[in-house]
Structure formats: structure tokens, C-alpha cells
Amino acid sequence: MDAEIPLYIYATEDGCRAAGPVFARMPAHQTPSGAAPACIGTAPWHCINITTMRHYLFIIMSAVVALCATGCDNTSPFPDEKTDIPEEKPAETPPDKPAAEVESENLIICNEGNWQSDNGQLSYYDGATGELTNQWFRKINGTKLGDTPNDILHVNDTLIAIAVNWSNIIQYIHPDGTACGATENVPNNRRMCCDKDYLYVTSYAHQCGSQAFTKGYVAKIDLRTKEVVATCETGWEPEGVRIYDGRLYIANTGGYSFSENHGYETTVQVVDAATMRTLRTIDTGCINLYGEVSQAGEYLCINSCGDYYDVPPRTVILNCRTEQFRVFDFPCTYNTTDGRLFYTVGSEFSYNTYEYVYHIYTIDPATMQATYGIYGDAVTQKLKELQSPYEVYVSPYTGNIYFTDAKSYATAGYLYGYSDTGEELFRPQKTYINPAHILAIPNYRRANE
């Protein structure tokens, strides 16, 4: 039986109302860069004094970046909800790589580290040997990855892009970990998507090379030269970006409203990827569209954080073909897809209670039905046992699900893996601080096997 979840349907015509601007701080574990601060103690709310202090430090540092850019409580936080899970089989794979060809897969885990600590790292899990290697990038390249890697994207068979937020670079590597170039003029970069020839990156900054912006922007990078070839101004603090039918869909947040003179954003901006011109904006009526954005065909899954006080978080499911959407009354802070369904773990934090409540749902965007749980009882229960869920990822090659626990946000996190039938794939693997992004690298059988 599906969970009883109210749905709010908003029209996308000009008459749609937006939520009024609300000013509030971000939750203790979300700093201006999106990564966790260095914490005192083991509970997330112990970080508040440090985080607030860093908010002011950020305002000063962001001005410097703009000028330089040219060159534990045991009480369960999970609500008591029924776990009637639909038996869905998510093992969809890219059309040019039949599932039968995939023999195994390796994993790259992008650990954010702590903001301004310059300790971001990559971990590598070898699916054949079952071994996990930390400091993988440093061991291969003899240098640090940088400060707060915020996103990782498999561009093509030979190229992977990593948005290293506070180091202000896009780092490129081959699947074997070897560094192969960088784009250095997109400061405070956030999230990425790509088509065949170009990489698109959102940025909270107000400058890209010699170009200045009042709000944020999205940059278009030529994958052959690694150079920015075009930009488009967005709303305040743009976060997730996805591409559909030649159009970019950019989730604006307004996340710096606590320190800058503006309110939260409620819009998804639609940009023509060829001309990099804004076509229109879609007002969702939901504030602070911060977090991961997953894409299943024409559908996007977008998180709305709320204001952490009185405006509750939401989940927005947007149909890019019709540009209509529905809103669910739970967050989807960490979300992923198998190409058909969305799997979400929502983190709801309140400054009124200083507590977290987590929500675990599977959403079918074709029917707009949400069901409590992911994959089945085994995966759902393990997710409920995590201290601080920090990422959930479904492999497009095997349908396996991987997720992480950031623990205290200041110590090593852990990686977990399960098959789509709920079988544990390996024992929990110790990673580094704040394991926030996962990428599967498939191993294919040879043609003569």
C-alpha cells in the first residue's frame, strides 16, 4: 500500500505564486560550500558555533575569490512509517552497453573532507578484489585533489570530471585515476552535467574570467580544450543542473540569504544549451532548491530544503517535456535513479528542535506515486540505522545500490553496498571524511569470453 503523502500541484503559467523570501541560517552541517565543517564532538549540532563563525569568514573570502577569479543521540530520527515496498527491478543500463557485458564494477568515492581544510580525497573500491584504497588521487598523481570536491561526473569512457569547489577548479582524470587537465576559471563551482561536446557547471560566484554577474551563473566548457566558451547568468546560488532535449534545467537556491541581501530562490531556470540564453523560469513555489538533482528520462527529482525554521522541506518532480511538476511533502536531500524510479533519502533539520528527521521513499514519476522504503526491508532498515546518511547512488550498469554514512562529519565515513534484491555486496568499507559522491566504473567481459 502506498504511503499517504499529500501532493501539491502547481501550475507553471505566469500566474503561479512564489513563496515569500525567508531569511535563515543553513543547518549546522551545511556550510556555504555545501560541505561539513570541522566539528567538535560527535553530534551534528555541536558544529553550530564554528559554522556561524565561518559564515562571516566566507563573506570576506568570497570577495577575495571574486577579485582573483580573473587570473549521538540513540533516539531514531526516522518516523514510524509502513514499509510496504513495491517489488521493482531497477537494473536498467545504458543502451549501448548491454547488461550481459558487465562483469563487475569498481567505485570512485568522492570525499568532501571539511570545508577550508584542503583535505578532499578520492577513495577507490576494486570490485574484483574487494579492496578499498583511500587517498587514491594522491597516490596516483603525487598531489592533493583540493578543497571540498563537490561533484563527480563520468563524461565518457575516457574522461571523468570533478568539481573541486573551494579550490576553484574542475579537475579531469582518466578512469584509472590519472590527472589529465583542469579548468581553473570557474570559482565556487557546484554541480555538473554534460552532452557529447560540452560540460556545464553551476557556480555561486559573481565572476568568470573577465565576466561579472550580479547573481550566479552556469558555465559551458569545451571538452576538447577544457576552456569556458560561454556563460549564462542564473538566479542566486544555482545548484543542480541537468540537460534535456537541448535545454539546461538549473535549480536556484538563494542559499546565501543568511549573509547576503537577498531571499531564497524558488525557480528552475531553463537555458538553451546551444546559445546559453535563458528561455524562461519555472516557479516551483518551493524555496531553497539545494541538493542533488537526479534525472530519469524527461523527469527531474529536485530537493527543496525549506528555511530550517517554519517553511518545511519538499520534493519537486519536474517533467522537462511538459514543464509541469508536482510537490511532495518530504525532502529528497540525497537522491538517485535507475533510469525509471527515483530513490530518495531526505534530511529534515529544524533549528526549532535542533534535530534531524530522515525520510526514505521511492517515487515513480510516471504515476507520481511515492512509496515508503528503498528496494526492500534489508536496504531500508540499513539506511535507517545510519548515523548521518550522506549519499545514495544506484549503479546504471548493475542496479546495485551504494550509500554512505558521514558519522560525525569530522571523522571517517563508511560505504555500504547492496544488490537490487537486498543482498549485502561487501562489509562496510571505511572511507574518508564526508563521503558524498559515488561513481561506478564498469568492467566488461572480453568479446571472446
Side-chain angles (χ1 to χ4, degrees):
M1 180 176 66
D2 289 342
E4 299 266 340
I5 303 163
L7 300 179
Y8 301 89
I9 305 175
Y10 293 80
T12 58
E13 303 299 329
D14 293 340
C16 180
R17 290 190 305 168
V22 180
F23 297 87
R25 293 176 295 167
M26 300 175 74
H29 72 287
Q30 292 180 342
T31 65
S33 71
C39 298
I40 299 173
T42 58
W45 49 84
H46 290 165
C47 308
I48 291 172
N49 290 337
I50 292 178
T51 304
T52 303
M53 182 169 58
R54 282 178 171 170
H55 286 169
Y56 294 102
L57 178 62
F58 163 77
I59 298 171
I60 298 171
M61 294 191 67
S62 60
V64 176
V65 171
L67 292 173
C68 299
T70 56
C72 254
D73 188 353
N74 292 328
T75 303
S76 174
F78 293 88
D80 185 14
E81 299 172 89
K82 295 182 179 180
T83 56
D84 185 10
I85 313 299
E87 296 183 0
E88 304 289 354
K89 300 298 181 181
E92 294 189 9
T93 54
D96 58 335
K97 299 289 186 181
E101 294 184 6
V102 179
E103 185 173 37
S104 63
E105 61 188 1
N106 305 322
L107 302 174
I108 299 175
I109 300 92
C110 193
N111 303 281
E112 292 179 344
N114 292 123
W115 179 56
Q116 294 187 333
S117 297
D118 198 22
N119 60 346
Q121 291 189 15
L122 297 183
S123 300
Y124 183 82
Y125 176 76
D126 189 316
T129 66
E131 295 182 358
L132 185 138
T133 301
N134 287 315
Q135 296 190 356
W136 184 58
F137 181 87
R138 178 184 285 227
K139 289 178 180 178
I140 292 175
N141 298 288
T143 186
K144 295 186 294 185
L145 176 62
D147 198 322
T148 321
N150 201 64
D151 198 9
I152 185 168
L153 179 69
H154 202 170
V155 176
N156 55 44
D157 287 345
T158 62
L159 189 66
I160 295 169
I162 305 168
V164 189
N165 171 266
W166 208 241
S167 291
N168 302 317
I169 66 169
I170 309 298
Q171 176 69 61
Y172 303 97
I173 64 172
H174 294 306
D176 65 0
T178 306
C180 57
T183 301
E184 299 185 357
N185 58 342
V186 185
N188 208 348
N189 47 68
R190 300 298 301 175
R191 305 281 183 170
M192 303 177 291
C193 71
C194 66
D195 55 24
K196 180 181 178 182
D197 300 310
Y198 298 97
L199 179 72
Y200 304 91
V201 186
T202 56
S203 171
Y204 283 11
H206 303 302
Q207 196 152 356
C208 181
S210 60
Q211 291 182 290
F213 306 93
T214 301
K215 301 179 181 179
Y217 64 91
V218 59
K220 180 178 183 177
I221 299 173
D222 189 323
L223 288 169
R224 296 167 298 177
T225 64
K226 311 297 191 296
E227 297 291 332
V228 176
V229 296
T231 57
C232 180
E233 185 162 17
T234 61
W236 296 104
E237 293 81 59
E239 186 74 6
V241 56
R242 289 291 181 261
I243 188 166
Y244 175 79
D245 196 24
R247 302 185 299 272
L248 300 177
Y249 289 81
I250 301 155
N252 295 310
T253 72
Y256 285 174
S257 65
F258 64 89
S259 62
E260 296 185 0
N261 188 26
H262 62 74
Y264 283 120
E265 295 275 8
T266 62
T267 61
V268 174
Q269 189 164 330
V270 186
V271 174
D272 185 289
T275 64
M276 293 298 284
R277 294 181 180 273
T278 297
L279 300 174
R280 57 194 160 272
T281 57
I282 302 170
D283 196 330
T284 68
C286 300
I287 68 170
N288 197 4
L289 303 179
Y290 175 89
E292 299 187 30
V293 174
S294 294
Q295 181 173 5
E298 65 197 61
Y299 297 102
L300 301 183
C301 182
I302 305 170
N303 181 61
S304 165
C305 287
D307 70 349
Y308 317 111
Y309 285 94
D310 303 316
V311 180
R314 296 282 186 256
T315 291
V316 178
I317 302 297
L318 171 65
N319 185 325
C320 296
R321 181 177 57 81
T322 65
E323 297 190 350
Q324 295 180 342
F325 59 90
R326 286 194 177 184
V327 177
F328 294 82
D329 68 347
F330 56 83
C332 60
T333 318
Y334 313 108
N335 58 76
T336 185
T337 182
D338 59 14
R340 189 172 68 85
L341 302 176
F342 292 117
Y343 304 96
T344 71
V345 178
S347 172
E348 180 177 359
F349 175 81
S350 171
Y351 274 115
N352 296 322
T353 63
Y354 282 95
E355 293 180 351
Y356 288 88
V357 176
Y358 295 100
H359 306 262
I360 305 173
Y361 282 96
T362 297
I363 302 173
D364 185 339
T367 63
M368 291 296 174
Q369 295 296 311
T371 305
Y372 180 73
I374 294 177
Y375 275 26
D377 290 341
V379 173
T380 301
Q381 182 58 38
K382 175 52 70 173
L383 284 166
K384 291 176 65 174
E385 293 172 359
L386 302 184
Q387 179 181 342
S388 305
Y390 212 61
E391 168 68 325
V392 58
Y393 171 82
V394 170
S395 167
Y397 310 103
T398 63
N400 294 335
I401 187 168
Y402 305 97
F403 46 91
T404 66
D405 188 346
K407 297 296 184 179
S408 71
Y409 304 107
T411 57
Y414 282 83
L415 170 71
Y416 304 83
Y418 286 79
S419 70
D420 63 339
T421 58
E423 178 185 0
E424 187 177 31
L425 299 174
F426 47 75
R427 295 180 61 84
Q429 301 287 314
K430 189 175 183 179
T431 60
Y432 190 60
I433 300 171
N434 296 320
H437 316 281
I438 301 172
L439 189 67
I441 306 297
N443 297 315
Y444 296 103
R445 293 188 180 93
R446 296 179 181 178
N448 60 353
E449 291 184 355

